[in-house]
Amino acid sequence: MTQPPAKYSIELPNTRKHGQTGVYRSAFYPDELTVTIRQEITTLYENFQYALKISKNRNCIGHRPYNKLTGQYGSYTWQTYKQIAERIDNFGSGILYLNENVVKNPKVEKWTVGIYSINRPEWFITDQSNCAYNLITIALYDTLGPDTVEYVVNHSEISIIVASVDLIPGLIQLAPKVPSLKVIISMDELEDDSPVPFGSTNTGKVLKHWAEDKGIVLLSFSEVEKLGKQNSRKHNPPSPNDLACICYTSGTTGIPKGAMLTHANFIAAASAVCQVWETYQDDVLISYLPLAHIFGRIAETVAVTSGGSIGYYHGDILTLIDDITELKPTLFPSVPRLLTRIYAKLQQATVNAPGIKGVLSRKAVEAKLERLEKGQGYTHPFWDRIIFNKVKQVLGGRVRMMITGSAPLDPEVLQFLRIAFVTEITEGYGQTEGVATATIGLPGENKAGHVGGPQLCCEIKLVDVPEMNYFSTDKPYPRGELCYRGPNCFIGYYKNEEKTRETIDSEGWVHTGDISYIDELGAFTIVDRKKNIFKLSQGEYVAPEKIENVYLNSPLILQVFVHGDSLRNHLVAVVVPDPETFVPWANMLTGKNVSLGDEKGLESLINDPKVRKEFLIEMDKIGKHAKLRGFEFVKAIYLTNVPFSIENHLLTPTLKLKRHEAQKVFRSVIDNLYNENVKAKL
């Protein structure tokens, strides 16, 4: 059993300055920052070549093939590192041939290649081909609207895009507005006249004619591989300081910024993770977090570092559990929104279950949490055999490490999942600009609520934010804006010196815009994003994400948007109930008999004043249990049966709430909630 960490970070001597803390480094190894864990690995190209050497005939990537006749996805099929290496050679040679003979680009290296799809084997092969021939990957989000795709293609001057077939019609339609685009490569076959999968009504032949009319050469992935096999090129390995990708951040407002990330950035980040959390050849990663974003990318890089395997989900996040059950991964990266939903479902099936099952589950959870708090680990010789070995089968039964990031995870949720899945779960913090690598928890952790200490590749300090009353001199813990520096840090925003200067200061510190404090063990806790902190009229500062995460612990709630501003003295919220739990609850309350799937019936329930009143009472119970302060309680709510989604522009592609957009969409609702509350007090 791994003992709980005694110390996360230490302050370097003589580094304190006025208005900021000293500089903190990992207590694990504070003498120098990690650049790589193996001298022979300094680029993503060398990272794959090392994996190829040690895992040549082992599984590299797997997927579940789609059967057109049955409309079903099969079991995982695998390709070895040797097979993938051959495909990388062929595909990379093929796109070089197209660059010379179709695009007529005189540059032989360091030009951009777009990838536009969900996670799948062709994404990996294209990216690794770019590494082998010193090209730059530009990921387009599969959920972006045409305006942003147009901006990114033009901004990064993409001439070749590799895309899934369902996204190709949109690209062809966009052709007149993106003059640099000359070649589109379909990840799916285009040879026959039968409708292609994924819901597209176009046949390959129709798409090819349409593309030709727009001056675009359209080829299938396999055609490019054949071209490359016939016109083989030697690898052109990059240097550590060459760009591996330009990662456009989705953001919640404004146009995307392209973070320039080098090969050295990726290797430093992956190496730091592997130093603390060992990975093995036998590890299997479930890849579903969008590869267009940095968390998913670094997870795959870490898996390759040890010659492990990557299994791709089949594309539907709602049935992710089916893929996990089939794959049986050992590594499971995730995000709080998904983990909170899993937690709510598990609570229903265990501690909130009726009868003897609920009684036993509550005893088991209490016993295991007590052991965890005492530093005795997440296992239990009796209760695991009786209950939790069955629970862990939900994730395939082999998960040995879970990591969560992108937003704070409620401590109660984290502790419950640790003992329920009988595995290490760590919380980390990072940004695109630092390859998702700034802080991380350590093995054996038995506490929750923090994001660990500095990764071994970077150092951290906190800087005063006087306008929000956060100071490095605060007691009991220093507070301020978290800044980090190290070989994992990006080199700037592409074609945007102004934003680069705003983010990276003259000493190389990346200013995150996130408020944090550091405790006596040297662990950091993120309070919230600076721009997401607002002040109520009585002067109290509110962190809405923290409050939303508390309310999401209610089994009745699917999604919630908490709002407040400096002209009001209380909070209001827009809430999407979870139909599975809400409908039976509301039926019992109203005496109605609405069935699941009955949209009109659901609408009648959410518009019922009695339901809304009792729903708010249930939210108050959750708030009291979480010890929210008085001003953090929501005082009025609006219920809606329309979930927040990427399609209705209320979520980013990484499933974060677009707060500014939500304020605009629900402006009249918010105003009515405040007016109702004023009238109620009169």
Side-chain angles (χ1 to χ4, degrees):
M1 183 187 72
T2 307
Q3 292 298 312
K7 195 77 174 169
Y8 275 96
S9 62
I10 61 170
E11 184 181 2
L12 299 183
N14 306 313
T15 57
R16 290 190 188 182
K17 295 179 182 179
H18 177 71
Q20 61 189 47
T21 65
V23 175
Y24 290 85
R25 285 188 180 178
S26 171
F28 190 70
Y29 192 72
D31 294 347
E32 61 183 8
L33 299 180
T34 293
V35 175
T36 181
I37 50 171
R38 297 185 184 92
Q39 286 188 339
E40 69 269 35
I41 298 178
T42 60
T43 65
L44 290 172
Y45 171 74
E46 291 167 345
N47 195 49
F48 182 81
Q49 293 301 311
Y50 175 82
L52 174 62
K53 183 172 73 174
I54 65 170
S55 295
K56 190 174 185 178
N57 295 310
R58 297 173 70 99
N59 288 343
C60 178
I61 55 179
H63 74 291
R64 300 179 68 186
Y66 177 78
N67 187 318
K68 288 183 185 179
L69 296 176
T70 64
Q72 301 294 316
Y73 290 86
S75 299
Y76 275 89
T77 61
W78 292 91
Q79 297 169 80
T80 65
Y81 272 91
K82 182 182 178 182
Q83 290 169 320
I84 292 299
E86 186 178 346
R87 294 189 69 186
I88 289 167
D89 293 349
N90 292 338
F91 188 76
S93 297
I95 54 176
L96 288 185
Y97 179 86
L98 292 169
N99 181 62
E100 293 168 11
N101 294 281
V102 177
V103 179
K104 309 288 187 185
N105 180 9
K107 291 176 71 174
V108 296
E109 62 176 13
K110 301 179 184 178
W111 41 271
T112 56
V113 177
I115 309 180
Y116 194 15
S117 80
I118 61 170
N119 302 16
R120 53 187 288 177
E122 293 81 7
W123 213 112
F124 181 92
I125 293 166
T126 303
D127 189 42
Q128 290 296 334
S129 298
N130 292 343
C131 294
Y133 294 96
N134 201 8
L135 307 178
I136 303 164
T137 293
I138 308 288
L140 300 168
Y141 319 145
D142 60 309
T143 46
L144 282 183
D147 291 347
T148 313
V149 172
E150 177 189 334
Y151 171 80
V152 172
V153 172
N154 286 329
H155 189 253
S156 57
E157 302 167 60
I158 299 173
S159 55
I160 298 175
I161 292 178
V162 184
S164 56
V165 74
D166 55 313
L167 297 168
I168 289 174
L171 286 174
I172 297 172
Q173 213 162 13
L174 208 57
K177 298 179 179 179
V178 284
S180 64
L181 181 60
K182 304 297 181 187
V183 177
I184 298 174
I185 301 168
S186 172
M187 294 179 176
D188 306 286
E189 289 302 328
L190 300 169
E191 290 176 359
D192 57 54
D193 289 335
S194 61
V196 291
F198 314 111
S200 174
T201 55
N202 295 285
T203 65
K205 190 175 285 187
V206 169
L207 283 177
K208 282 200 169 192
H209 285 311
W210 188 16
E212 192 178 346
D213 287 344
K214 298 286 186 178
I216 301 284
V217 172
L218 175 61
L219 298 165
S220 71
F221 204 90
S222 60
E223 286 177 307
V224 177
E225 287 181 283
K226 286 174 189 171
L227 262 180
K229 196 169 187 177
Q230 294 161 2
N231 299 274
S232 182
R233 307 296 169 90
K234 287 183 180 179
H235 289 178
N236 177 29
S239 71
N241 293 327
D242 284 333
L243 287 185
C245 71
I246 302 172
C247 194
Y248 284 84
T249 57
S250 55
T252 52
T253 58
I255 58 173
K257 302 188 296 287
M260 295 185 286
L261 297 170
T262 67
H263 286 267
N265 293 155
F266 273 95
I267 296 305
S271 295
V273 173
C274 292
Q275 275 182 292
V276 176
W277 292 92
E278 280 192 80
T279 54
Y280 309 99
Q281 279 181 297
D282 290 332
D283 274 323
V284 179
L285 170 76
I286 175 73
S287 178
Y288 70 98
L289 296 174
L291 289 171
H293 302 286
I294 203 64
F295 193 6
R297 291 288 295 284
I298 192 62
E300 288 202 359
T301 304
V302 167
V304 171
T305 298
S306 59
S309 307
I310 301 167
Y312 291 99
Y313 84 128
H314 75 269
D316 184 357
I317 198 70
L318 295 176
T319 54
L320 176 65
I321 293 296
D322 293 344
D323 296 321
I324 291 172
T325 304
E326 182 75 32
L327 182 66
K328 295 178 173 53
T330 61
L331 306 177
F332 180 41
S334 196
V335 291
R337 283 186 183 271
L338 178 58
L339 292 179
T340 301
R341 297 314 308 159
I342 292 173
Y343 163 79
K345 301 291 184 189
L346 287 179
Q347 285 262 307
Q348 275 181 269
T350 55
V351 296
N352 294 332
I356 188 67
K357 185 178 181 181
V359 172
L360 285 174
S361 295
R362 288 188 286 275
K363 282 182 177 293
V365 168
E366 184 181 358
K368 289 200 69 176
L369 285 176
E370 186 179 341
R371 278 175 62 88
L372 183 64
E373 289 290 334
K374 288 178 179 177
Q376 295 172 356
Y378 45 75
T379 61
H380 194 286
F382 177 70
W383 291 118
D384 287 346
R385 283 191 295 111
I386 301 299
I387 294 175
F388 296 108
N389 286 343
K390 295 172 187 171
V391 172
K392 67 189 288 188
Q393 295 305 316
V394 170
L395 299 182
R398 297 202 309 153
V399 172
R400 66 174 190 84
M401 180 198 170
M402 296 168 66
I403 182 168
T404 175
S406 86
L409 180 63
D410 185 276
E412 187 175 313
V413 174
L414 179 54
Q415 295 293 70
F416 178 84
L417 292 179
R418 277 174 173 154
I419 59 107
F421 288 131
V422 199
T423 192
E424 292 271 14
I425 306 180
T426 189
E427 194 166 2
Y429 165 81
Q431 298 180 306
T432 300
E433 290 80 356
V435 199
T437 314
T439 73
I440 197 167
L442 296 175
E445 179 58 72
N446 67 325
K447 303 294 181 186
H450 63 75
V451 291
Q455 293 265 21
L456 274 78
C457 59
C458 68
E459 53 193 8
I460 295 176
K461 67 178 180 179
L462 302 180
V463 176
D464 292 354
V465 186
E467 66 272 22
M468 292 182 170
N469 293 318
Y470 290 119
F471 297 98
S472 54
T473 53
D474 286 346
K475 304 295 181 185
Y477 302 128
R479 300 188 299 175
E481 180 184 10
L482 190 150
C483 303
Y484 59 89
R485 178 174 67 180
N488 61 313
C489 296
F490 81 133
I491 60 173
Y493 294 114
Y494 187 56
K495 298 179 182 177
N496 197 335
E497 288 185 20
E498 182 186 348
K499 290 293 182 185
T500 299
R501 285 194 300 269
E502 285 177 16
T503 306
I504 308 174
D505 67 24
S506 59
E507 294 181 333
W509 290 98
V510 175
H511 290 249
T512 66
D514 287 319
I515 305 295
S516 176
Y517 70 78
I518 182 168
D519 66 19
E520 68 279 358
L521 295 183
F524 290 85
T525 297
I526 306 298
V527 179
D528 202 356
R529 187 108 179 110
K530 271 168 70 174
K531 66 182 180 183
N532 283 346
I533 293 177
F534 50 75
K535 187 192 287 187
L536 297 176
S537 60
Q538 68 270 39
E540 299 285 5
Y541 285 96
V542 174
E545 279 186 22
K546 183 193 89 170
I547 297 167
E548 287 162 356
N549 284 329
V550 165
Y551 285 130
L552 281 171
N553 290 325
S554 168
L556 292 175
I557 296 177
L558 183 68
Q559 294 169 313
V560 59
F561 159 49
V562 171
H563 175 81
D565 64 53
S566 58
L567 300 176
R568 310 286 186 173
N569 64 2
H570 64 274
L571 303 175
V572 297
V574 177
V575 183
V576 182
D578 186 335
E580 284 187 27
T581 49
F582 172 75
V583 170
W585 174 83
N587 278 341
M588 193 175 295
L589 199 64
T590 59
K592 294 179 180 179
N593 191 27
V594 175
S595 58
L596 278 174
D598 178 359
E599 289 301 317
K600 285 188 178 178
L602 177 59
E603 209 165 313
S604 73
L605 291 175
I606 65 173
N607 290 326
D608 189 308
K610 184 180 180 183
V611 169
R612 193 163 68 142
K613 182 182 176 182
E614 290 298 321
F615 199 101
L616 185 56
I617 291 171
E618 291 297 317
M619 289 179 65
D620 286 344
K621 290 177 186 175
I622 294 288
K624 286 171 185 172
H625 179 72
K627 295 182 172 57
L628 290 181
R629 292 170 291 178
F631 62 86
E632 292 178 312
F633 281 79
V634 164
K635 302 299 184 186
I637 58 170
Y638 172 80
L639 300 178
T640 175
N641 60 340
V642 181
F644 310 153
S645 67
I646 297 163
E647 288 72 25
N648 61 23
H649 309 296
L650 292 175
L651 296 182
T652 70
T654 50
L655 304 183
K656 292 178 183 175
L657 180 69
K658 287 187 172 183
R659 205 164 293 280
H660 181 69
E661 192 68 29
Q663 287 173 17
K664 287 196 297 182
V665 170
F666 295 111
R667 185 73 262 170
S668 61
V669 167
I670 290 166
D671 290 342
N672 287 338
L673 288 174
Y674 279 121
N675 292 335
E676 283 177 16
N677 217 270
V678 170
K679 289 174 185 175
K681 291 179 180 178
L682 294 176

